[in-house]
Amino acid sequence: MKELEFIISIGVNYGQVLTGGVVAFHKLAYEIAKRGYKVTIFTEPAFPHKNIITRKNSSENNLNFEFDKNNTVILPSIDWKNKNRLPNVCRWVLHHLNKDLIRHVEKTDKIYNFGDFVTCGLTEYGKLTTFDYHDGLFSNENRERNGKVCYILNKKTPKNYKKILKVLNAHPIGNWKQMGSFNYLKEKFNEYEYFVTFDDKSFYTLGAAMCGCKSIILNLNETPEDYRTNNPIQKYGVACGIEDIAWAEETIDKVQEYVNQLIVEDGKTIDQFIYDNTSKI
């Protein structure tokens, strides 16, 4: 294990909260640990590794364990206040920021952006990307599809969602955790022609596209160009509304190769993130 240590503020596991941000933090902890560094988190890791230390009775606001603050990098929440004056603080921007969220960010904090999210004037130190693409599971089996639409309700579901889904004659697959977890999703995404959701920050859209099922994000409040810039993992096979479906149709065959490229690029940003901090301590 190498000398530099990391504290990554993960307080929930997949069984409690399953969002893109939670997945990204868990995957980052694993990728850093895999590179030989001690990583402390506050819940059971989604990706166990011998270098990951779990401290369930601690949190970013209760660092009640011994560590060398001069040789430890902490990656806390964006709005975390550095009450203990820790010298090596990094912030990871996983969504658009506002002035209220950044009130505790200090000039010495290193700011890393997952995409091109609004940082409210904060100077970016670099990019940091990683994700669990389930690339060993989700794949297009090139089966004959049923031409139908499936859906999962998650964040940003509008009050009139039933009316919208009825028009699309969409079928629910939201019980995937009870029906066999990701293996069930893979089967359904290889069966259906389209997957629809109101959630613009979900892995489901990419997972579906990896299986050859075109994804459609409904009620999106930004242009397709802006959305793909801010959410690079959703670049291909994903339509920003029904009117954008031609894009998903035209690019669905590019998804798997693009995911392979993303994995390589993710690794480069993680290596750079570690280097940025080892070279400054």
Side-chain angles (χ1 to χ4, degrees):
M1 192 178 297
K2 299 178 182 178
E3 189 174 359
L4 180 68
E5 298 182 10
F6 292 83
I7 297 173
I8 298 182
S9 186
I10 310 170
V12 294
N13 57 44
Y14 285 8
Q16 298 168 299
V17 179
L18 185 55
T19 64
V22 171
V23 172
F25 268 100
H26 274 279
K27 192 64 162 59
L28 180 64
Y30 172 77
E31 290 294 335
I32 293 175
K34 188 175 72 172
R35 287 162 169 79
Y37 297 91
K38 177 183 175 182
V39 180
T40 296
I41 64 175
F42 310 125
T43 187
E44 289 299 322
F47 309 95
H49 192 280
K50 64 180 181 180
N51 292 338
I52 296 179
I53 308 300
T54 299
R55 297 189 182 277
K56 293 184 178 180
N57 295 321
S58 304
S59 70
E60 62 182 26
N61 293 313
N62 183 28
L63 300 172
N64 56 355
F65 54 93
E66 292 186 7
F67 62 94
D68 180 1
K69 69 177 184 179
N70 293 315
N71 204 42
T72 301
V73 175
I74 184 169
L75 191 67
S77 306
I78 287 290
D79 60 351
W80 174 75
K81 187 174 183 178
N82 190 1
K83 296 179 181 178
N84 295 322
R85 313 309 306 159
L86 302 183
N88 306 306
V89 178
C90 297
R91 311 273 184 166
W92 199 9
V93 182
L94 297 168
H95 50 76
H96 292 311
L97 303 183
N98 57 49
K99 292 295 184 182
D100 186 56
L101 281 174
I102 67 171
R103 67 189 187 279
H104 296 313
V105 176
E106 300 179 9
K107 292 182 179 179
T108 55
D109 295 354
K110 295 188 183 78
I111 310 300
Y112 290 85
N113 205 325
F114 188 92
D116 287 308
F117 293 112
V118 174
T119 61
C120 289
L122 296 178
T123 301
E124 290 183 25
Y125 202 89
K127 297 292 183 184
L128 180 59
T129 58
T130 189
F131 205 73
D132 180 16
Y133 300 97
H134 295 277
D135 52 302
L137 174 64
F138 288 120
S139 62
N140 186 355
E141 297 179 347
N142 296 307
R143 297 192 224 154
E144 184 176 348
R145 298 182 182 274
N146 60 17
K148 297 180 180 179
V149 180
C150 62
Y151 73 89
I152 294 175
L153 296 178
N154 202 22
K155 301 187 295 295
K156 297 190 175 182
T157 302
K159 292 181 180 180
N160 65 335
Y161 76 91
K162 290 183 179 179
K163 181 179 180 180
I164 296 172
L165 296 174
K166 184 177 180 180
V167 171
L168 296 172
N169 193 27
H171 301 263
I173 57 169
N175 62 343
W176 61 275
K177 292 181 181 178
Q178 293 77 34
M179 296 299 294
S181 195
F182 289 112
N183 285 306
Y184 176 79
L185 276 183
K186 176 189 175 182
E187 287 298 310
K188 291 302 176 182
F189 286 155
N190 271 281
E191 174 184 341
Y192 283 86
E193 191 75 38
Y194 301 101
F195 166 73
V196 298
T197 182
F198 299 97
D199 186 355
D200 62 348
K201 303 289 184 185
S202 170
F203 172 73
Y204 301 133
T205 44
L206 177 61
M210 290 172 68
C211 294
C213 179
K214 280 75 72 175
S215 293
I216 306 170
I217 304 173
L218 302 173
N219 288 17
L220 195 62
N221 293 321
E222 57 186 320
T223 66
E225 294 75 18
D226 287 345
Y227 177 75
R228 292 180 186 116
T229 296
N230 294 325
N231 301 271
I233 69 171
Q234 312 283 8
K235 185 175 181 179
Y236 295 131
V238 180
C240 299
I242 298 294
E243 63 281 0
D244 189 46
I245 198 167
W247 174 265
E249 298 276 5
E250 293 166 4
T251 62
I252 192 69
D253 291 335
K254 297 181 179 181
V255 174
Q256 192 57 59
E257 181 180 353
Y258 182 61
V259 168
N260 294 339
Q261 294 174 8
L262 288 174
I263 293 171
V264 173
E265 292 302 315
D266 287 351
K268 291 179 181 178
T269 70
I270 295 167
D271 290 338
Q272 185 63 49
F273 171 72
I274 294 172
Y275 175 79
D276 289 345
N277 288 284
T278 54
S279 63
K280 303 297 182 182
I281 293 178

